[in-house]
Amino acid sequence: TSSTSREDKEAINKKQIAYLKDHEQEMTAYVKAHNANITQVSYDWDSIKTVVGGNGTPQGGDEILLVFGYANGSDLTNFSLNFTLDENKMPKIDSIGSDNLYRVEKK
């Protein structure tokens, strides 16, 4: 069953990436709207991972999908976007968030 679950996870991951790529313009608009210094955005689609969000309780919060990206063409200006997941483990585009976009400075 572990190989089946690995295959399931890979299939879900591919669907998540496809969904995010379909919404890349909205993601980029979000990034640029939260930091005027960001003029160019790229995403590391291989970086996508699911984590349990912390909410101060021992069991943690909901699952969150993270995707990492780079601003203004530099690996030094990395950031992450997070999304809550629906019941099918798909990201909800209207739940997009980030807590580190403010770090990106002008070149």
Side-chain angles (χ1 to χ4, degrees), residues 78-93:
N78 60 326
F79 63 87
S80 64
L81 296 178
N82 54 67
F83 302 86
T84 56
L85 299 175
D86 67 16
E87 60 280 352
N88 297 315
K89 298 205 179 285
M90 294 302 293
K92 299 181 199 173
I93 195 68

Side-chain angles (χ1 to χ4, degrees), residues 20-34:
L20 293 175
K21 284 183 176 181
D22 285 345
H23 292 86
E24 187 173 355
Q25 281 186 314
E26 292 161 83
M27 294 163 53
T28 299
Y30 175 88
V31 170
K32 289 181 177 181
H34 284 78

Side-chain angles (χ1 to χ4, degrees), residues 2-48:
S2 63
S3 63
T4 303
S5 64
R6 187 178 318 126
E7 289 171 11
D8 290 345
K9 286 180 182 178
E10 288 176 13
I12 289 168
N13 184 259
K14 286 180 181 179
K15 288 179 185 177
Q16 290 169 333
I17 291 170
Y19 177 86
L20 293 175
K21 284 183 176 181
D22 285 345
H23 292 86
E24 187 173 355
Q25 281 186 314
E26 292 161 83
M27 294 163 53
T28 299
Y30 175 88
V31 170
K32 289 181 177 181
H34 284 78
N35 188 325
N37 294 326
I38 297 175
T39 57
Q40 187 265 334
V41 178
S42 60
Y43 300 97
D44 179 358
W45 300 115
D46 294 330
S47 72
I48 290 178

Side-chain angles (χ1 to χ4, degrees), residues 69-71 73-79 103-105:
Y70 303 98
S74 172
D75 287 353
L76 300 176
T77 57
N78 60 326
F79 63 87
R103 295 181 313 146
V104 177
E105 299 175 5

